Amino acid sequence: MPAAGAAPFAMQTAESQSVNAACWSCGCFVPAGKPWCDACGKIQAPSEGVDYFTVFGLPRKLLIDLTALERNFYRMSRKLHPDLYAQASPDERQWSLDQTSLLNDAYRTMKNPIARTEYLLRLEGVEIEAGRSEDGKPKDSRVPPDLLEEVFELNMQLEEMRMNRKMGEDDPQLRADLEKARTQFESQLAAVDTSLESLWTRWDEIVENASAGAEANKIKGEIIALLDRRRYIRNLVRDVNEALEN
Amino acid sequence: MAEARIVGIDLGTTNSLVAYMQGDQPVVIPGEDGANLVPSVVAIPDPKKVIVGFPAYPYLASQPDRVVYSVKRLMGRGVEDIQEELKLFPFHLAPDIQPAEVLRLEIGDQQYTPPEISAYVLRQLKKNAERYFGAPVTKAVVTVPAYFNDAQRQATKDAGRMAGLEVLRLVNEPTAAALAYGLDREKEGIVAVYDLGGGTFDISILKLHEGIFEVIATNGDTHLGGDDIDHLLMAIALDDIRGEYNLDLSTNAEAVQAIRKAVIDAKIVLSSAEKAYISLTLPNGQPYNREITREQFEQIIQPVLDRTVGPCKQALKDAGLKPEQIGEVVLVGGSTRIPLVRRLTDQLFQLSERGKKPHTELNPDEVVALGAAVQAHILEGGSKATEDMLLLDVTPLSLGIEALGGVVAKIIQRNSTIPASVTEHFTTGVDGQTNVAIHVVQGEREMAKDCRSLARFDLKGIPPMSAGLPRIEVKFLIDANGILHVSAREQRSGKEAEIEVKPTYGLTDEQVENMILESFDYAEQDFAERQLIEARNEAATILAAVDKAPSHPAWRQLTDDEHTQIGMVAEEVRVLSEGDDLQALRDATRALDQATRRFAELMMDSAVGSAIRGETMESAGEKLGEGPTAPHPIAPAEIK
Ligand SMILES: [Zn+2]
């Protein structure tokens, strides 16, 4: 098979600007990204390059009212879903499919704070490591220096656990140690999330004040570092969970 | 009928049903025999004779190798998937099937793919509905197990097309059940649907909010159901008979079917009684009678039921919920009648300890079809009954692309709300390369070889460029039926890339087209039925006019002979319209038209006369009880 290197999560970038258009049915003005015509209610062809924030009419901020987001998602689903166009023209059926998949993709990303943050960073031109490299293999991020010792210890314990399982033995002390490690890493994960939240607030302030780039770049850098750390710790917790479950 | 009706169909492993929305309630449409269920059994004693449902049962005893049942287990599957169950099925596969190829069953000297067999069942349901409505039915919503993969869904859709049904939507069975239940009460909150049918198991967790049915997580096993319980019991009985009578019946298809029937009967009894007997007459004439207690039965089936636990736990985990957060549990599928299943679900979702009971109010055999009817009604545009109801379902399996080294790069995660899409970019690895192959798989495993191969897409006609320069944008879209669509374009040249699809277990469009043609004789049979209905309608129209004729002044202008002649021919039409002889009915109707021609002319004259006196032709016609379109009711009977 020729190299079909799957690019790590591709997406529409902000460069492709969407344009306003006239409603195909009544000719009224339809703002870019608006999936239906307010004048006649008809569904519209999706415009190119609409980003997920625009789908929900939201500014590019990181803190989101999830209840409002869900309400909005339901409201838009009730207008766009293919079930409502089963008997419509082929064009309208296709647009409903395209608009609804865009809406669903946007909702999936926006409701998850981490996915939302990564998405926004990509919109801002940052290449995010999506957990796999060009060849599709998960790429090990580097161990955060302050965790080196704990990770080393943990890996020893995990290895021991694997050996025990192979021999059909159970070491209660080891199990307790792993459980302790899990609690410890989970609290570190919580700490990362708290730091992330304060960064989101700062980011949103910058968006609100439309402040200069230097500050924004600094926050972006901090967010990227925290996301890396978070991904690393989350993988550790997952490994411990797997070891304990089996 | 104002517009074409959309029916809801449950195409089950064991039984199939068709339903529609009558007013604000979904109802099952019975067959000619009055039964709601059509067993998903197809007998083909000879290629010209296809028998579906209950009438196919006797062939299981007489010609078991010409009967297909549980074909749903074979839909969208390959020969390598089904070795286990083939041992207990009476029908045979064609000998030359390659792995990753669509299955073909050999019946006599003919071969049939699983979608063709399913199409016969669908055609029977279509006929039942047409008979019920007295009008053609061409559109349907068909249910599938939630955990069906792309190939299994596509195969179901293909079956619809072969049967002359446009499948407007594939709905997941547990979701359909939730719709049927959701119609009665104003439910809010989290609902789990545990659906153990004849051949498949599904668990779906939904969030209900103001008429929105949002599936949060789904899981299951498309190879787990009542059939597996039957197979276990059959194996035990076969062993038993071998031990006790020194008889090996495992290769005797007829005897195996007799045992199958006996264990199913015993299984059903055990749902309400503490013991039952597996009893049959052996080929040597001796009776076989084995007692089986509820306790023994439960020990035997425990391993089968335990296989439903993993998917339930995974679904809860994916939904981010604990068992005690599940507000309601709905039980669907015939196998949920088994007391052990009730106990197991009670434990899993901690029901009785929370003072709750699972929902079983609707017949577990019918609830899926009823839900399909609700969804069909929603697609028709709905009414007050379904106002605000909207189903948001998910894809059960992650979609991935095989990357270098055989590793899967996941592009759409399982439990994503559908329709869902993702755009990926591909390039070439060699200078001047004009083709790129993409292997799309479905499943949760890391390696492509452990996942389900969906299709190989060959992107062709890429303009020759240096390696890595072309930028091919490929859009993968899973539609609301859970079926994948792929489109591609080369961005630098702006050219739509040509995609050649090789479905792994599926049929090409052309093959499906051919299978429609092959079953043309049945289409013709349907057409004949339709023509008969139309001829009867014609006859009824002309008879109604004849009945009213004596009250018209023009009648008195006819001779006695003419009166007698019209009366005789009318009686003949009346008798023939009760029968099935289309040609005779048409001839008689034409004769009646001839016999009344002079009367029609006289009536025309008098109508013209009355028009002069201020009456219109139309009102003269209306007096005879006919619509305004006909100037006189006894128009030359033209068969449209
Ligand atoms: Zn408009």
Side-chain angles (χ1 to χ4, degrees), chain B residues 526-546:
Chain B
D526 282 0
F527 181 59
E529 260 177 31
R530 211 161 291 157
Q531 281 186 312
L532 190 62
I533 290 167
E534 278 164 12
R536 282 177 187 154
N537 290 343
E538 290 287 344
T541 305
I542 199 166
L543 283 173
V546 167

Side-chain angles (χ1 to χ4, degrees), chain B residues 74-154:
Chain B
L74 309 183
M75 295 282 272
R77 300 214 150 240
V79 64
E80 66 278 19
D81 301 325
I82 55 154
Q83 286 311 314
E84 253 330 286
E85 43 227 288
L86 268 186
K87 288 181 202 152
L88 287 161
F89 279 140
F91 43 86
H92 305 293
L93 291 185
D96 57 336
I97 303 172
Q98 302 303 311
E101 197 185 29
V102 68
L103 294 174
R104 279 168 285 125
L105 305 179
E106 201 164 62
I107 298 168
D109 52 5
Q110 300 280 312
Q111 295 192 348
Y112 301 85
T113 60
E116 284 174 280
I117 301 292
S118 293
Y120 287 124
V121 177
L122 286 173
R123 191 175 286 277
Q124 183 60 47
L125 297 170
K126 177 182 192 283
K127 264 187 201 165
N128 288 356
E130 289 179 339
R131 189 187 142 272
Y132 188 86
F133 296 131
V137 171
T138 56
K139 292 176 178 180
V141 165
V142 180
T143 61
V144 289
Y147 216 56
F148 252 21
N149 65 29
D150 184 273
Q152 293 168 304
R153 286 167 194 269
Q154 190 62 58

Side-chain angles (χ1 to χ4, degrees), chain A residues 15-197:
Chain A
E15 351 164 327
S16 49
Q17 281 302 320
S18 47
V19 283
N20 300 328
C23 168
W24 61 272
S25 178
C26 73
C28 283
F29 169 80
V30 181
K34 181 94 187 170
W36 62 78
C37 165
D38 273 330
C40 69
K42 296 270 187 190
I43 195 163
Q44 305 292 311
S47 25
E48 288 264 321
V50 177
D51 69 68
Y52 296 166
F53 288 89
T54 312
V55 166
F56 289 105
L58 292 168
R60 286 189 187 179
K61 289 187 181 178
L62 287 168
L63 288 169
I64 282 188
D65 176 351
L66 285 176
T67 318
L69 183 76
E70 183 188 68
R71 207 182 309 126
N72 219 348
F73 168 66
Y74 286 161
R75 187 180 59 88
M76 291 175 78
S77 293
R78 285 189 196 279
K79 286 201 149 186
L80 301 175
H81 198 273
D83 283 4
L84 309 164
Y85 296 88
Q87 316 262 54
S89 70
D91 272 348
E92 285 170 281
R93 285 210 307 264
Q94 183 61 46
W95 296 337
S96 150
L97 185 59
D98 292 339
Q99 294 280 18
T100 309
S101 64
L102 174 63
L103 173 67
N104 289 340
D105 299 343
Y107 182 54
R108 193 161 47 245
T109 303
M110 295 297 272
K111 73 178 169 186
N112 177 324
I114 302 300
R116 185 199 312 148
T117 307
E118 290 178 343
Y119 180 78
L120 184 125
L121 288 174
R122 271 189 230 111
L123 280 183
E124 295 285 326
V126 179
E127 282 288 326
I128 294 282
E129 177 66 59
R132 59 184 152 88
S133 59
E134 292 295 321
D135 60 2
K137 281 190 190 126
K139 213 185 229 176
D140 277 329
S141 359
R142 243 159 292 151
V143 187
D146 62 309
L147 295 179
L148 258 174
E149 209 167 311
E150 287 163 87
V151 168
F152 181 74
E153 169 106 26
L154 180 75
N155 280 336
M156 299 266 286
Q157 288 167 334
L158 286 175
E159 187 51 39
E160 205 175 326
M161 192 79 178
R162 268 187 284 271
M163 291 299 288
N164 278 355
R165 197 174 322 124
K166 225 180 254 172
M167 311 294 287
E169 287 165 11
D170 191 34
D171 180 350
Q173 182 55 45
L174 184 60
R175 198 164 267 278
D177 286 349
L178 276 173
E179 264 157 23
K180 208 176 118 208
R182 172 164 65 181
T183 317
Q184 195 187 332
F185 285 119
E186 271 171 351
S187 73
Q188 291 199 355
L189 204 56
V192 170
D193 286 350
T194 312
S195 315
L196 266 177
E197 259 170 66

Side-chain angles (χ1 to χ4, degrees), chain A residues 1-12 48 70 73-74 77-78 81-84 86-87 93 96-98 100-102 104-105 107-108 111 132 134-138 245, chain B residues 6 139 169 207 209-210 212 214 375 378-380 388 390-392 402-404 407 409-410 416-427 429 433 435-437 475 477 479 489:
Chain A
M1 164 163 139
F9 191 79
M11 49 148 299
Q12 294 112 333
E48 288 264 321
E70 183 188 68
F73 168 66
Y74 286 161
S77 293
R78 285 189 196 279
H81 198 273
D83 283 4
L84 309 164
Q87 316 262 54
R93 285 210 307 264
S96 150
L97 185 59
D98 292 339
T100 309
S101 64
L102 174 63
N104 289 340
D105 299 343
Y107 182 54
R108 193 161 47 245
K111 73 178 169 186
R132 59 184 152 88
E134 292 295 321
D135 60 2
K137 281 190 190 126
E245 265 170 32
Chain B
I6 308 174
K139 292 176 178 180
R169 175 75 77 250
K207 181 171 164 185
H209 179 67
E210 290 174 357
I212 298 233
E214 185 186 8
Q375 177 67 6
I378 292 172
L379 296 189
E380 274 174 342
D388 295 332
L390 181 66
L391 192 54
L392 305 176
E402 179 174 350
L404 289 180
V407 183
K410 279 189 189 156
S416 293
T417 306
I418 48 173
S421 66
V422 71
T423 303
E424 292 274 346
H425 292 99
F426 296 87
T427 191
Q433 188 182 331
N435 281 25
V436 170
K475 186 177 181 187
L477 186 147
D479 70 13
R489 92 186 149 168

